[in-house]
Amino acid sequence: MNNILFKFISALLSISLVCFCCGCCKDSGTASSGRRENQEIIEEIAVYYGTYGDKAGKTLAEKLDELEANDSGVAAKWRSVVALWKNSNNDLRLHYDVLPDGLPETDELCLVVLGFQLNPDGTMRDELLERLKVAKASAEKYPDSFVVCTGGGTASDNKDMTEAGAMAAWLIENGISKDRVIVEDKSITTAQNAMFTLDILGERYPQVNKLAIISSDYHIATGHLLFGAESTLRAEAVGKEKYEVISNAAWKAPSGSLSTMFQAGALIELSGDKETAWKIYYDEYDIHELPPLS
């Protein structure tokens, strides 16, 4: 009897030892592979291009290959995002004052009007009003399209007012049907404009699949990039994106600019790392902590 019990206990110990060793081997194999987390690689892709632009081509290729070794699907999406980034800043054609001819004349088209910080009392600044004039002209040209107003609460002395709320009220007061106007009033950054707007469109407006960005001229490339990137990142795979950014309409601003490093922060925010994104927005990110270009 004792001999049988001894054999039983020995067998249990052997099974436990095998399971323990397999677990250790799995962990040590991951560690010994030297692979970095996807998020770390993505951050570097964004920061290197944000800092060096096209000069970072070789370094970007290396990091995209490193990402490919981790996850080919994720790498394909970020290759697409980088290509879109280059196109947005180098080749994008701006259309001033009103959307161009030839866009879909159906409700598959949605005009995305990007907000601008409100005055402390909640009234709109002149720049936002000028964007709305472009939006109105474009909405009248494409009367079957939807119009998204996107922007949250940025009035320091009026917590009840949001950019999107003020924008929507103005459009409706100036003849745009309430049924066409969509309000996204939670976002504070342009990255959040993209994320929260696509959430609303996906949940409530399944017919929409084409987007046109409306903003000040210096902001169009960033809007085009972020809405296109967000569509890519949330897609099942590259080539299966739900939304396509097909055009834009811009107000010609007398001043204003957004750097590629700001865009890098916004892309990192889209990737899920808000902490690093905000460091970049507030110029607290130290590029010198990274290795030099290849």
Side-chain angles (χ1 to χ4, degrees), residues 182-184 186 194-208 234 242-243:
I182 303 167
V183 174
E184 184 292 292
K186 305 299 182 186
M195 290 187 285
F196 299 165
T197 294
L198 295 195
D199 284 344
I200 291 173
L201 293 179
E203 291 169 4
R204 307 177 196 171
Y205 301 89
Q207 66 270 55
V208 171
R234 65 172 59 197
K242 163 68 174 172
Y243 303 100

Side-chain angles (χ1 to χ4, degrees), residues 2 20 31 34 62 81 115 117 125 143 148 156 159 190 213 217 284 291-292 294:
N2 289 338
F20 177 78
E62 293 171 353
V81 169
Q117 185 171 17
R125 298 175 188 267
V148 170
S156 58
K159 302 303 182 183
T190 310
I213 306 298
D217 50 3
E284 296 173 357
S294 301

Side-chain angles (χ1 to χ4, degrees), residues 39-85:
Q39 188 63 44
E40 182 180 358
I41 303 169
I42 289 167
E43 175 188 322
E44 291 184 4
I45 290 170
V47 168
Y48 275 109
Y49 190 76
T51 303
Y52 300 109
D54 291 336
K55 294 180 181 178
K58 182 179 179 183
T59 300
L60 289 184
E62 293 171 353
K63 295 190 180 300
L64 286 166
D65 287 345
E66 183 182 1
L67 194 58
E68 179 86 26
N70 281 1
D71 189 317
S72 60
V74 172
K77 289 183 178 182
W78 280 94
R79 290 185 195 278
S80 180
V81 169
V82 170
L84 175 64
W85 199 355

Side-chain angles (χ1 to χ4, degrees), residues 122-139:
T123 57
M124 291 187 289
R125 298 175 188 267
D126 289 344
E127 180 157 347
L128 186 50
L129 288 167
E130 294 299 331
R131 294 182 186 183
L132 287 172
K133 293 174 185 177
V134 176
K136 178 177 179 290
S138 298

Side-chain angles (χ1 to χ4, degrees), residues 160-275:
D160 295 327
M161 182 56 69
T162 65
E163 295 172 11
M167 295 157 67
W170 188 95
L171 287 171
I172 293 167
E173 289 171 4
N174 284 272
I176 304 302
S177 171
K178 182 179 180 179
D179 293 338
R180 299 175 59 194
V181 178
I182 303 167
V183 174
E184 184 292 292
D185 59 3
K186 305 299 182 186
S187 58
I188 299 299
T189 65
T190 310
Q192 290 176 5
N193 290 159
M195 290 187 285
F196 299 165
T197 294
L198 295 195
D199 284 344
I200 291 173
L201 293 179
E203 291 169 4
R204 307 177 196 171
Y205 301 89
Q207 66 270 55
V208 171
N209 54 42
K210 302 288 191 299
L211 308 177
I213 306 298
I214 296 176
S215 191
S216 303
D217 50 3
Y218 65 84
H219 197 205
I220 292 289
T222 299
H224 184 272
L225 166 64
L226 297 182
F227 276 80
E230 177 63 9
S231 182
T232 296
L233 294 177
R234 65 172 59 197
E236 178 183 342
V238 171
K240 296 186 177 180
E241 296 85 353
K242 163 68 174 172
Y243 303 100
E244 181 185 5
V245 183
I246 61 171
S247 194
N248 64 78
W251 173 63
K252 189 173 183 60
S255 62
S257 64
L258 289 174
S259 68
T260 52
M261 192 58 175
F262 175 90
Q263 294 172 338
L267 287 173
I268 290 171
E269 187 177 0
L270 290 187
S271 76
D273 185 355
K274 293 182 181 179
E275 182 178 354

